[in-house]
Amino acid sequence: MRFQLLGPLALADGPDVVVLQPSKPVILLAALLLHANSTVSADYLQRAVWGEDQPATARAALQTCVLRLRRLFTKHGVTGTSIEAVPGGYRITAGPPTLDLLGFRDQVRRASALVRDPEAELYTLKDALSLWQGSLLANVRSDVLHRDEVPRLSEERLRAVERVCDLLLGLGRCGEALVDLWTATRVYPGHERFHEQLIEALYRTGRQSQALAEYRRVKGFLLDELGVDPSPSLRQLELSILRGEDLGAGGAVRAAVEPAPAPASATAPGPGATSRVIQGAAVPLPAAAPGAGPVPAVPHFTGREAEAAAMAARLTAPPPPGADGQRPLTVLVSGAPGIGKSALAQHVAHLVRDSFPAGRLLVRMTRADGHPRTADEVAAEVAAALGPVRAGERALLVLDDVVDADQVRPLLTPPDLAVVVTSRMGLGGLIATHGGWVHRLTAFTEAESYALLLAALGTERVEAEPRAARQLTALCGHFPAALRILTARLLTRPGLRLGDAVDWLGDDPLARLTLTDSPDHSVSGLFDRALGRLDPRLSEALLRISAGPPELLGEADGPEGPEGPEGTEGPEGRKDHPPVPEDVLEQLADAGLLEDGPPGPYRIHDLLRAHLRRTVRIRNRRTEKV
């Protein structure tokens, strides 16, 4: 059995994890685990459980909490760990294998001993950071612990993330560092070292204009919000960029072999210890594991300006008069797989962050295998992650990749909750019963596609070959997921001319729109997973549609002539395709796999059509062999 503190307080037994429900014994357990192997005074435990205004019976009630906690251990089969009554207080014994916080600190210490081997140090630190699983102590309702302990623990994580980025820069892996730094700088806007690392990484990947723009942005933030100038090191970095100096890996290499001093908190100080608190440090970086966690920032977000503005306005509008007890505000973002629903929802969540002081939470509604999570499971997780919410404070919930309306309805209960739902499905039933607004996304415009290339590849590279850049966006069909994969591939080949990339991509777009080191990130894989969710009858209909004319008409008379019944021969000996029933077309459109529809024709995206036709050819070849 393992205790998990680095996220919601939980008990883990192998792959099975039980997130503990908020209660006073859970607060007591958290306080003891935060100072494992040390005596924690009864006075401190009482303040942690009841706050500064303790009841007269607090000492006796503390003993009752200890008894309840011991029963909780018995219920969940916790062995080898016990709560000891010692002079002056209580103590719990744990080690790195049984407490993730101690495991994290042990890995950080191991990493510091690998200073002469940056790759090994980097691997060890990433292994340590993987132990963090979401909002710290989200299900522990103790103002004392959140005031005194959470900032200190968050500072430990910040130091490790900062060191990881130093190592990546020192090893010349600037593009990889950018992934973490975009998020870190937005979540921790007052942490200057993250901004310095981001600006250096942008400059060293050939994005000088973006690096300078980022410097101006952080300079404005520091002056407007904190009333201070950028640090000398940030100002020196700007000067080096303006001079066009070759930063190489010089400064970063020094950082990679000279680790920052370990924070005092790494030695697990006793109750009452203090440490410097960085602005926003109480909010951990988003966890990669599925489930509920803070909303991550979206790097290089472009386009969707009208949709983003409309969503932000609706989420932040004051409630209508007499709206006490109203249902939560709901905004639905729907559309095809890979169309950018999640990116838009997360971007808007950051735009409106000041309007939701109770927090913003991203909840993955499907598992890694594509199966939906149950409503009860998600509801319990959301309650634990949000914790206590003060009256009148609003929270924002982003429910990502919802499969059906039944997943959402049980979550639409607290009146101070706003909900953004992303789904491939239209979810008309949810809108009919609970109201809300719908944003149906389609492919990018040419201008939006071009802007994405500018943001991801840099102005210099794109504007040196604007015609080739536009040809690339056309080959991607202005499909956001395809454009993201393309830019990722081009970033790994900075010497490849865009004109040469046009020929390379045009030879076989489906094969080339994949990340070779991560085959799951591919356009074909995206479509295959979408087809796997469909009812077999619908997927077969879609495969049949792909062999039809380019314009999908649910009519008997298409642009190429009348269609004969049951696939009979039409004019000029052409094999015609029987019309697909209207209800099937509607269901496919509702699933985001067909575009538009009545009163105009249905359409299918060129990339999806190409993938479906390839799937049919492969299946036919297999059938012929049999």
Side-chain angles (χ1 to χ4, degrees), residues 466-484:
R467 183 171 178 273
R470 289 188 169 86
Q471 288 176 306
L472 287 172
T473 64
L475 286 169
C476 290
H478 307 291
F479 196 64
L483 291 165
R484 291 284 183 186

Side-chain angles (χ1 to χ4, degrees), residues 40 47 76 83 85 124 141 159 163 180 182 208 267 286 321 338-339 383 420 425 438 447 520 546 555 560 614 617:
V40 186
R47 289 201 310 274
H76 292 287
I83 301 170
T124 305
R141 296 176 178 175
R159 293 296 185 190
R163 180 65 181 157
D180 290 331
W182 280 119
Q208 180 180 12
T267 58
I339 207 68
V420 176
M425 308 303 294
V438 178
D520 287 342
S546 69
E555 305 169 1
E560 298 182 29
R614 174 174 290 185
R617 288 196 300 271

